[in-house]
Structure formats: C-alpha cells, structure tokens
Amino acid sequence: MTNSLEQLYQQIILDHARARHGAGLQEHRGEGVVGESHQLNPVCGDEITLRAVVRNGGVHSVSWEGAGCAISMASASVLTDLSVGLPRDEVIELVDNFRDVMRSRGRLEADEEVLGDAAAFSGVSRYPARVKCAMLAWVALEESLLAANH
C-alpha cells in the first residue's frame, strides 16, 4: 500500500473515531424487528452494545454505544454508514467480506467498491491483536441481525 493511501486510511479512521456515526443507543419506536448484541474484547477492554432494526428485509437503523480504542470506535461508525439502507442479506455478506480481510494478515486487500470506508482497516489485518478491535462492532452487527431474523 502506498504511503499516501495509508495516510488517507489513517485519516478516515481518525475522523470516524471522533465523529462516531450511529453512536448513542436509540430506542426503537415503530415498525420492524430489533436485534441487539453486546460484545466485549477482554484482551483490551473494548466494549460495544449494538442495536439494529430490520424492516422489510432491510437494515432500517443501527445505533450503538461503546468504549474502546480509536480502531474499534471508528469501525462501529463506518459499519453504521455502510449498513443502513441495505438489504439484511447484503449486510451479512459485507460482514463476511470484512472478516475475510481482517483474517488475511495483510494478504487480502480490501475492495473499496465493496467495503467503502471499511477498506481503511485493511492495514489492521497485519496486527492480530488489533483485528479483534476492528471486528468487535461487526460481530455485534452480525449477531443483532441474526437475532432480528428470529
């Protein structure tokens, strides 16, 4: 990866760590099915509770509250932007794609066309201790969507 691309990716992560899209657990009012998941990374103490509302087969809303490092908080922010408005099954595919990139230890380059700003986390895959930070919100989203499906 080029230095300028790495710098851009770092800036995306920092921007999302500060802005935290979707932060603040929203009460569900209205139509749709709610799924919720609480995840904790005991190694570093990162923690998130994520709530997803599925309506008409699509992800209507994602909200979360959490505490942790810039990577875990930015990852939650990015996945909120990516998933809202997409069909539930497409979001599950995004989670699988992101997981594949994170498990690759740097061998698999993220496709920006598929993952959007989540591609910024590609470099994290080279640091196994940080992969769990990046994955925390994605696992919570996956569990929330599975819970909302029942």
Side-chain angles (χ1 to χ4, degrees), residues 66-147:
C69 68
I71 290 173
S72 67
M73 298 296 97
S75 189
S77 176
V78 167
L79 83 79
T80 300
D81 288 351
L82 273 176
S83 58
V84 173
L86 291 179
R88 180 195 164 281
D89 293 344
E90 199 172 314
V91 174
I92 295 293
E93 288 176 21
L94 278 177
V95 172
D96 289 340
N97 187 302
F98 188 75
R99 181 181 286 117
D100 289 345
V101 171
M102 288 297 103
R103 288 181 175 168
S104 77
R105 298 194 181 235
R107 291 186 303 273
L108 191 61
E109 197 63 40
D111 184 346
E112 242 181 276
E113 294 290 317
V114 174
L115 288 174
D117 279 355
F121 296 90
S122 288
V124 172
S125 70
R126 295 191 304 268
Y127 306 98
R130 305 304 291 190
V131 167
K132 286 184 179 175
C133 302
M135 282 299 304
L136 196 66
W138 295 76
V139 170
L141 177 61
E142 182 177 50
E143 281 197 2
S144 295
L145 293 177
L146 292 173

